[in-house]
Amino acid sequence: MPKSNRTYSKIYLDHASATSIDQGVLKLMNQVYKENFANPSAIHDLGVKSKNILENARAKVARILGAHTDEIVFTSGATEANNLALLGVISGAKHVVTTNIEHASILEMCKFLERNKKIEVTYVGVEENGIVDPQKIKKALRPDTSLVSVMYANNEIGTIQPIKEIAKVIRHYKKLNPTSKVLFHTDSAQAVNYLDINPTRLGVDMMTLGSGKVYGPKGVGMLYVKRGGALSPIIYGGDQESNRRAGTENVAGVVGFAHALEIVEKIKIKESARLQKLRDYFINRLSHSNILTNDGMILNGDAIDRLANNVNITIPKIPSDLLVIELSAKGIYASEKSACKSGDKKTSHVISAIRPDELDGSLRFSLGRDTTKQDIDFTLKALQSILTKLKKWYN
Ligand code: PLP
């Protein structure tokens, strides 16, 4: 386990929104900012040096993914990578398949495709446990489907989708329909810290990763595009990233991202096991707490097929935004839904997808490298006292 990043005395349980930056990553980036500021496209010595550093980082990322270097396109984050995956492959497309619990960077792009490109989108609904049935994906496929995009793990309820099985269903469909050109994309932004991210083993053609969720710098991400997958740029300008993403490369950011991924891969198995234990302890204590059990607390998402760091609950009758604010006043930082949609007053689309009548929203705790059992015990106590107070008003 790397040296603790903890620079604060509060309890941060919002790692699904953003992780802190690993101190080793930060140190390395500082060095690159100082010494390798030259433009990697410049042909003088300093430019060549920047280019080499960038390409070394690309090689590192490719090695971690078990991919080729020309399959990695660096972007400004997971949002851009998701947008690129959808908009970049759709020239001539007529139909896209996705699920109703994807991140806004997929769903809003789908709306754009429907509105402006006259592309039909099928939104496959997930089951009550927040997991999509691969057979439903199979049913949605059509001869003119050009892309299936299913997230690897959900950012709100942490459910892990059966990516390998969906890939199998798509492969089978293509075998029966040899003219089908359907590609399979997965948004792995939330999965990276805990799950296997080898695209070949998963059977995907494209995969999104973001640096800001892996203890790397924000504003960096990437799209893996399997060799042979034609991709048009969505940002026009220079010929960077092999003509797939214009703009001067974020060398320090990419170097930091690559190093952050390297650390993740090194500690993944041990850290996942540690967090899973802590997560189950947290859920178990919540389920046995008198105050919560009497109120009918609901664990959102599958109890087993969920990310090692995710606890997402609904406490009937108590508004979840109020709980987030009350917890924050006690120095505990949780969230009620995706940070990208926190200004939106509606219930989360993910909770609506698993329980259409839900009005009370949800409370998400996402644990991380610094989370300890003491943090969980303190949070449980705080929640108990907040609920004792709020119940007087909301019952
Ligand atoms: N995809 C998923 C599943 C996410 O959780 C997020 C961020 O929360 C994104 C995409 C977008 O990442 P970014 O805001 O870094 O572009």
Side-chain angles (χ1 to χ4, degrees):
M1 174 121 182
K3 237 170 104 204
S4 175
N5 278 329
R6 199 155 177 158
T7 52
Y8 46 86
S9 58
K10 311 287 182 184
I11 298 176
Y12 183 78
L13 297 175
D14 198 18
H15 292 85
S17 290
T19 49
S20 57
I21 189 158
D22 179 277
Q23 294 305 299
V25 167
L26 189 58
K27 199 167 152 202
L28 187 59
M29 285 176 68
N30 268 331
Q31 195 185 329
V32 176
Y33 273 126
K34 264 190 225 157
E35 295 169 14
N36 307 104
F37 51 86
N39 192 316
S41 298
I43 58 169
H44 51 66
D45 272 4
L46 271 189
V48 171
K49 213 170 154 216
S50 287
K51 179 81 175 165
N52 285 341
I53 283 168
L54 177 72
E55 292 313 315
N56 282 343
R58 192 188 310 278
K60 199 181 269 184
V61 172
R63 208 165 39 242
I64 290 166
L65 264 61
H68 302 287
T69 49
D70 57 323
E71 295 175 319
I72 312 293
V73 182
F74 289 117
T75 64
S76 66
T79 294
E80 188 191 322
N82 279 345
N83 276 218
L84 179 60
L86 267 67
L87 196 54
V89 296
I90 53 111
S91 58
K94 293 211 165 58
H95 183 233
V96 168
V97 175
T98 190
T99 78
N100 59 352
I101 61 162
E102 300 296 310
H103 186 263
S105 51
I106 293 288
L107 291 178
E108 293 300 320
M109 176 50 79
C110 283
K111 281 190 207 162
F112 172 83
L113 296 179
E114 289 175 302
R115 233 181 10 244
N116 298 41
K117 302 278 177 190
K118 305 287 171 257
I119 288 172
E120 270 185 73
V121 181
T122 301
Y123 300 90
V124 177
V126 294
E127 306 303 303
E128 260 175 54
N129 62 354
I131 295 178
V132 69
D133 177 354
Q135 291 308 313
K136 290 193 178 165
I137 299 285
K138 182 179 168 183
K139 265 196 194 146
L141 293 173
R142 307 189 327 207
D144 60 353
T145 307
S146 43
L147 183 72
V148 175
S149 182
V150 177
M151 72 198 323
Y152 196 171
N154 184 265
N155 45 306
E156 292 188 31
I157 56 176
T159 44
I160 300 167
Q161 302 303 332
I163 297 300
K164 276 189 188 170
E165 282 99 291
I166 297 170
K168 210 164 145 188
V169 157
I170 295 172
R171 272 200 307 275
H172 185 63
Y173 180 85
K174 282 170 106 166
K175 219 172 182 180
L176 297 178
N177 301 271
T179 54
S180 164
K181 299 227 172 346
V182 60
L183 296 175
F184 184 24
H185 165 253
T186 188
D187 172 1
S188 299
Q190 292 289 340
V192 193
N193 285 316
Y194 312 108
L195 305 174
D196 178 21
I197 49 157
N198 180 304
T200 310
R201 279 199 291 270
L202 289 171
V204 299
D205 301 295
M206 290 188 285
M207 184 164 79
T208 290
L209 303 184
S211 165
K213 315 284 188 200
V214 295
Y215 302 84
K218 291 170 188 60
V220 191
M222 58 152 281
L223 182 67
Y224 158 85
V225 188
K226 192 174 168 178
R227 268 188 185 166
L231 194 72
S232 311
I234 60 171
I235 292 174
Y236 292 88
D239 59 3
Q240 292 92 348
E241 297 298 297
S242 307
N243 282 311
R244 293 175 293 186
R245 202 281 181 179
T248 303
E249 300 90 336
N250 178 358
V251 180
V254 164
V255 167
F257 178 31
H259 187 43
L261 273 183
E262 209 172 26
I263 296 168
V264 164
E265 284 309 301
K266 218 180 271 171
I267 65 169
K268 189 177 271 187
I269 294 175
K270 231 172 146 182
E271 182 60 358
S272 299
R274 185 188 77 87
L275 282 178
Q276 190 167 315
K277 241 167 125 180
L278 216 48
R279 174 200 73 187
D280 291 343
Y281 169 75
F282 195 3
I283 294 175
N284 199 27
R285 287 283 311 274
L286 284 168
S287 333
H288 289 96
S289 139
N290 275 342
I291 191 154
L292 284 168
T293 317
N294 293 343
D295 287 340
M297 180 203 89
I298 301 162
L299 176 70
N300 295 310
D302 196 82
I304 295 158
D305 283 330
R306 71 187 303 129
L307 290 174
N309 73 328
N310 178 286
V311 176
N312 186 307
I313 57 170
T314 291
I315 301 170
K317 296 188 193 147
I318 315 274
S320 47
D321 50 356
L322 188 56
L323 287 170
V324 171
I325 290 164
E326 290 279 346
L327 282 165
S328 176
K330 288 182 182 289
I332 300 164
Y333 306 129
S335 69
E336 45 151 356
K337 55 182 162 181
S338 169
C340 308
K341 288 288 204 180
S342 59
D344 186 343
K345 287 288 159 228
K346 284 188 293 212
T347 304
S348 129
H349 70 286
V350 178
I351 299 300
S352 298
I354 55 173
R355 272 198 317 286
D357 299 327
E358 183 62 67
L359 294 175
D360 296 319
S362 65
L363 182 60
R364 177 185 72 183
F365 299 99
S366 44
L367 324 187
R369 275 183 203 164
D370 289 320
T371 313
T372 62
K373 183 170 171 290
Q374 286 92 314
D375 292 340
I376 302 300
D377 286 333
F378 187 84
T379 303
L380 283 159
K381 256 195 193 154
L383 195 58
Q384 188 102 353
S385 105
I386 291 166
L387 287 173
T388 306
K389 181 177 88 176
L390 293 183
K391 273 177 75 172
K392 290 184 198 137
W393 305 331
Y394 283 94
N395 266 329

